[in-house]
Every structure is written in structure tokens, then in C-alpha cells.
Amino acid sequence: ARILCDFGEAAKARRVAEAALEKDADNVEALVVAGSVDRDTGNLVRAKERCDRAVELDAKSVPALFALARTLAASGSGPAAMQMYGRVLGLLPDDPLALYERGAVAAHLDLDKQAWADWDKAFQQQPEWKRDFNGGFYGRREKYEHEIVMVSAELSEKPNDGDLLLRRGRYFRWAGR
């Protein structure tokens, strides 16, 4: 189910996860996949319930912690998302994806020092991310205005997409709005 989810097959992933949950309502992996699909399709309340349950069942499950952190970020619960990313980083101290995503949430919360500290650590592990990030971050103000329009158009189709919401927030900030 997780592989289907990763390849954008949300409907198939949901069916597989739901079937697994029918057999075992406490299947952590199925709860994570179902919660992630719920988040990606805009059902943030159900996503949070499932991710909370997965973390309750296995407090050291990195996929469950990540899923809950992303769900909290998508629902606008930045401080709680920061705390959950902190739990991920407690288990995987130098995980570049957790650092990068926590940096994005920190930037959204105007915690610039935290954001840059996290991004710097992530870029040490994944230097190619810095190249991509720098190309966007240090672009001209007009580029961000254009990106705001583009991301806003995507958001009109997916209004609860947490990644898009975070990205638009960064572009607003970087454009000086």
C-alpha cells in the first residue's frame, strides 16, 4: 500500500490499506498509509485520527511520526508539527527530509533561525537540495510573485494540500508580502 501511495496511486493504496485495517484495525503501516491518503485527499480530521492512532500504537515508528507531522503541518498546526518533527529527529538525528520539512514549518512560523539551521543541516547531507533551493530562494522577487500565482492555481484544485500551502507561505514571505 505504501508503494502505491508513493507512486500516486491513492485510490489503490486506500483500498489495500482499508482491507488491511478490516483484518487488523491496529495495523500501524495500514493506518499510516490510510492517514496519508486521507491527508492528501483533504480529509485532515480523519488523517489525524489515523496517524494519532498509529503513533499511539508504535511511538517509535518513523513513518507514523512523519505522517502525523505532515498532517499537523497540512492542518495548520505548526507548533504541534514542529514537536512531531522533533520526535522524528530524536530517532533519526540527521535525517535530511525531517530537517528540511521542519525547516519549512519553522519558516512558515517565522522562526527564521530554526528554519535556516534545519535547512543547513539538511543541505550538508543532500547538497543537491541546496542547489535546487538556492535557485528558488535567491531568485528575483518577480519569480516569487509568479510562483505565488502558480501555487495558488494548484491550491484552487487541492485546497487542503499541506505541501502546497507551505510552499505558498514561503513564497509570500520571500516576495516580501
Side-chain angles (χ1 to χ4, degrees):
R2 186 174 295 153
I3 292 170
L4 290 168
C5 197
D6 290 344
F7 283 100
E9 297 286 342
K12 289 179 185 176
R14 181 187 304 279
R15 285 194 300 272
V16 171
E18 295 292 348
L21 289 171
E22 283 180 23
K23 293 178 184 175
D24 178 8
D26 290 337
N27 180 321
V28 172
E29 184 170 349
L31 285 165
V32 168
V33 170
S36 296
V37 171
D38 287 336
R39 180 193 64 241
D40 293 346
T41 56
N43 192 342
L44 297 176
V45 172
R46 189 168 173 187
K48 185 174 180 310
E49 290 169 355
R50 288 180 164 176
C51 294
D52 276 337
R53 180 69 180 141
V55 170
E56 179 183 310
L57 291 167
D58 186 353
K60 293 187 184 228
S61 167
V62 171
L65 293 167
F66 252 117
L68 183 53
R70 288 173 173 155
T71 299
L72 291 165
S75 64
S77 301
M82 291 288 291
Q83 182 181 25
M84 201 54 52
Y85 280 116
R87 287 181 62 184
V88 171
L89 290 164
L91 296 170
L92 300 172
D94 294 320
D95 184 78
L97 186 57
L99 288 162
Y100 185 84
E101 289 183 11
R102 185 174 74 175
V105 174
H108 185 70
L109 295 172
D110 294 328
L111 302 171
D112 294 343
K113 287 184 181 184
Q114 178 70 54
W116 281 110
D118 285 344
W119 287 332
D120 285 343
K121 283 180 80 174
F123 298 154
Q124 287 172 9
Q125 310 248 350
Q126 297 289 333
E128 67 277 9
W129 292 1
K130 185 175 186 178
R131 182 180 57 249
D132 296 339
F133 181 82
N134 283 346
F137 188 79
Y138 294 113
R140 296 180 325 180
R141 178 177 238 160
E142 294 81 11
K143 175 180 171 41
Y144 295 125
E145 294 296 338
H146 174 75
E147 292 297 333
I148 290 168
V149 170
M150 300 303 292
V151 171
S152 294
E154 286 183 72
L155 275 167
S156 69
E157 296 176 11
K158 302 179 201 170
N160 295 316
D161 186 313
D163 293 331
L164 291 175
L165 289 167
L166 288 173
R167 198 165 63 189
R168 185 178 67 176
R170 286 193 307 263
Y171 290 142
F172 270 108
R173 182 183 175 101
W174 296 337
R177 289 190 184 185

